[in-house]
Amino acid sequence: MKQMKTDQIPLFVQDIVALGCEICAVGDFGCVIGDADLSLHRLEAIQPQLRRLDQTYGCRRHLKRQIIAYLNSVGRYVDPAEDSPVMPRH
């Protein structure tokens, strides 16, 4: 199975955002892609594109910490300890 490389992380994030999905780190333990915030019509329209990105970049589990660090470095994160709604800060 194809695996994403570290140098592909910025482009991967850029491609996700270009689809209209938010992507952000959640604390130091994970990240989320906000496709659930899209309308059903928009979600159905981009699902094939999201699958294509998965195929293009491949497995990214081994880069979890690096992806989280990158998202934090570009202001795309939420602090789960805060009482505010989950919104990326960018």
Side-chain angles (χ1 to χ4, degrees):
M1 170 177 256
K2 185 174 182 176
Q3 292 195 344
M4 181 189 282
K5 298 176 182 156
T6 305
D7 64 344
Q8 293 176 306
I9 293 171
L11 188 55
F12 171 74
V13 170
Q14 178 182 332
D15 286 347
I16 293 293
V17 172
L19 290 177
C21 296
E22 289 293 342
I23 181 170
C24 59
V26 179
D28 292 327
F29 55 86
C31 65
V32 294
I33 298 175
D35 56 341
D37 294 337
L38 302 175
S39 70
L40 182 58
H41 175 73
R42 181 73 182 130
L43 179 58
E44 288 174 349
I46 69 162
Q47 280 181 335
Q49 295 166 308
L50 286 170
R51 283 191 292 275
R52 182 182 49 78
L53 289 179
D54 271 343
Q55 292 173 349
T56 299
Y57 290 101
C59 179
R60 57 189 177 272
R61 285 185 298 255
H62 63 290
L63 295 176
K64 180 180 174 181
R65 296 231 180 261
Q66 292 93 329
I67 293 170
I68 292 168
Y70 176 76
L71 291 169
N72 275 293
S73 76
V74 296
R76 291 189 158 277
Y77 66 92
V78 293
D79 183 349
E82 291 183 7
D83 290 333
S84 61
V86 177
M87 297 293 288
R89 297 180 209 151
H90 53 87

